[in-house]
Amino acid sequence: LERLNNTIRKIITIPAALQKVPNPVPRVPHPDWLQTTVRKMNDKYKQRSIKNMFGTASDSKTLLGKKERTPHLLDIEDFQGKNTGPGRP
């Protein structure tokens, strides 16, 4: 019976708790360590990743939340101009 409880915990109750679903099998209690793990996941004071704070270049927005009208982006070869010599061989 203990082996069955452990298997049900591994397959059903622990993944359910990590997905914020109430215990689907109330006969099998959650392990003690699972409550602290779930609490750490839901911590509102948790330090965020710096990747989440900055968006990509295509998501550029002003401080007011409106999208900027970005001019046509130039490639490095476009800086020299079109009529300045024979160009690349």
Side-chain angles (χ1 to χ4, degrees):
L1 188 62
E2 188 65 30
R3 289 181 67 185
L4 179 64
N5 282 346
N6 287 337
T7 305
I8 291 173
R9 267 192 201 116
K10 288 178 186 177
I11 296 173
I12 298 172
T13 60
I14 293 173
L18 295 177
Q19 295 174 17
K20 301 174 187 170
V21 175
N23 191 355
V25 186
R27 287 183 177 179
V28 180
H30 287 304
D32 297 334
W33 58 266
L34 188 60
Q35 182 65 29
T36 57
T37 304
V38 170
R39 199 175 323 127
K40 286 179 185 178
M41 284 176 40
N42 297 334
D43 188 14
K44 66 179 182 178
Y45 298 110
K46 182 180 177 182
Q47 184 174 1
R48 288 186 248 149
S49 171
I50 196 159
K51 291 179 183 178
N52 295 338
M53 293 183 186
F54 298 102
T56 60
S58 64
D59 292 339
S60 62
K61 296 181 179 183
T62 61
L63 293 176
L64 300 175
K66 299 177 183 176
K67 286 204 174 197
E68 292 180 11
R69 298 192 84 193
T70 55
H72 176 67
L73 297 175
L74 297 175
D75 197 7
I76 192 71
E77 287 88 15
D78 295 337
F79 284 118
Q80 76 181 25
K82 296 190 181 214
N83 298 330
T84 59
R88 263 185 161 161

